[in-house]
Amino acid sequence: MNTSRSLPRLEFKDANKLRDALLSRAKASTFDRSLFEEYLLSPNAFPATGPVRIQEDELLDFRKGCVEASEQAMNSSGDFKAEFDLAVGKQISNWESMAGSDFGVAAVWDFITLVLLPDLALQRFNLPEDDQSENRTARSRLSGGNRRHVLQRLWKRHVVFGSQIVGARILTEDDYGSLLERKLTLEHRQLARKVAVKVVNSGLQGSTRRDYTRAVTRALVQMSGVVQFSDSDLDHLDHAVDHADSVARQNGSRPIAIDVVIPATKTHALPKARIR
């Protein structure tokens, strides 16, 4: 289905109430059908103008797909969080054609997370049962629009890097965090993909790889103060990333060139590979 739909929003005060309840365990971390219908029928759930409103059964079908993806991750022999991110992220990405630009609205993510998928959000978040804190990090993971949002970040991965790179599992959780939490690489997809290639090509692992990635992105951010980046000028981006790489090397990270092939493409992850 390719027709864009208007997605439901959750008002700020309601989002705060539900978030507090979830984090304090005052509300069971399960899907509440009556609560879902209540907020879906709220007068402020949809904007007055815009595309056709999404139907209740369409939202429930999306929930069903996400639940099945989560169960698939749970039954996998691999790391649950990594499998969850891949499987549920794919469901969210596939749904984007229906959501259109509404995925850029924080209140939409509040509805998806706190009303439609609260059980999956907490399952992935893995908040300890005895945690009664008002920790800012905990709240941010359930806050629509927050850069660390437990579900929205899965959508951002596909938007910025594409399904091929995400599906190839060549980037780590730390890689995604370093690249998606920077406005520069979040807004410039080709730049982010070239940095990703450079990171994979580094041959580094663990904390050394994390420090290297941060050093490269930090150098690019510093350059952005005097250099204009454009995703249409790939050669310029190559030179910029190469320069950032040299800065990172000077700071102590010593990348080792390797050759990684991204599945389903003819692109090799070499220093100047172009992932379009």
Side-chain angles (χ1 to χ4, degrees):
M1 189 176 298
N2 296 319
T3 304
S4 179
R5 301 284 196 275
S6 179
L7 301 185
R9 278 81 163 150
L10 186 63
E11 290 191 286
F12 181 78
K13 61 181 179 63
D14 294 324
N16 269 341
K17 180 177 67 176
L18 292 180
R19 190 181 301 111
D20 289 343
L22 283 173
L23 290 176
S24 67
R25 290 299 191 271
K27 178 183 181 301
S29 55
T30 56
F31 173 64
D32 187 327
R33 178 67 179 265
S34 62
L35 190 70
F36 162 73
E37 293 176 349
E38 174 188 342
Y39 284 114
L40 184 63
L41 295 175
S42 169
N44 298 317
F46 294 93
T49 59
V52 176
R53 296 182 180 185
I54 195 168
Q55 298 299 305
E56 179 177 328
D57 61 340
E58 292 175 311
L59 288 168
L60 293 176
D61 283 344
F62 171 64
R63 171 178 165 77
K64 179 181 178 182
C66 289
V67 169
E68 291 175 350
S70 178
E71 291 174 348
Q72 172 189 331
M74 184 69 72
N75 296 327
S76 171
S77 59
D79 176 72
F80 169 71
K81 292 183 178 181
E83 296 295 337
F84 179 99
D85 288 351
L86 192 63
V88 176
K90 183 177 180 180
Q91 290 294 320
I92 294 174
S93 177
N94 290 341
W95 205 46
E96 185 178 11
S97 61
M98 182 180 292
S101 61
D102 275 8
F103 267 178
V105 179
V108 167
W109 284 103
D110 280 334
F111 185 95
I112 291 174
T113 307
L114 301 171
V115 177
L116 187 61
L117 302 173
D119 46 344
L120 299 194
L122 287 187
Q123 184 182 34
R124 172 58 179 86
F125 189 5
N126 195 27
L127 188 69
E129 290 292 337
D130 59 352
D131 190 329
Q132 303 291 322
S133 71
E134 291 297 322
N135 184 281
R136 287 177 58 188
T137 300
R139 291 183 62 81
S140 72
R141 296 294 298 276
L142 298 174
S143 298
N146 187 279
R147 64 184 184 178
R148 296 181 181 274
H149 190 280
V150 66
L151 297 177
Q152 187 183 31
R153 63 193 179 82
L154 303 182
W155 165 67
K156 288 180 179 179
R157 292 180 182 183
H158 283 268
V159 170
V160 174
F161 297 104
S163 298
Q164 291 176 339
I165 291 180
V166 174
R169 308 189 190 204
I170 59 176
L171 298 178
T172 68
E173 186 82 13
D174 286 333
D175 295 337
Y176 284 125
S178 295
L179 295 172
L180 295 180
E181 289 178 16
R182 295 280 191 179
K183 184 179 180 180
L184 180 66
T185 41
L186 176 61
E187 294 181 349
H188 293 82
R189 303 178 190 181
Q190 294 295 343
L191 178 61
R193 295 179 188 190
K194 287 180 178 296
V195 175
V197 167
K198 187 70 74 172
V199 170
V200 173
N201 190 59
S202 73
L204 300 173
Q205 299 295 330
S207 61
T208 305
R209 173 165 168 157
R210 181 169 59 250
D211 292 342
Y212 168 73
T213 306
R214 289 176 177 172
V216 170
T217 54
R218 184 165 54 248
L220 288 169
V221 170
Q222 292 173 345
M223 291 169 59
S224 68
V226 293
V227 175
Q228 182 176 2
F229 291 103
S230 172
D231 278 358
S232 63
D233 190 343
L234 298 180
D235 287 334
H236 179 259
L237 295 183
D238 280 332
H239 291 306
V241 174
D242 283 344
H243 175 72
D245 169 62
S246 68
V247 172
R249 289 169 180 261
Q250 293 171 8
N251 289 339
S253 297
R254 299 291 180 181
I256 303 170
I258 57 176
D259 184 11
V260 176
V261 180
I262 298 175
T265 74
K266 296 181 180 179
T267 303
H268 288 249
L270 295 172
K272 289 195 175 182
R274 295 179 181 178
I275 303 178
R276 299 182 186 272

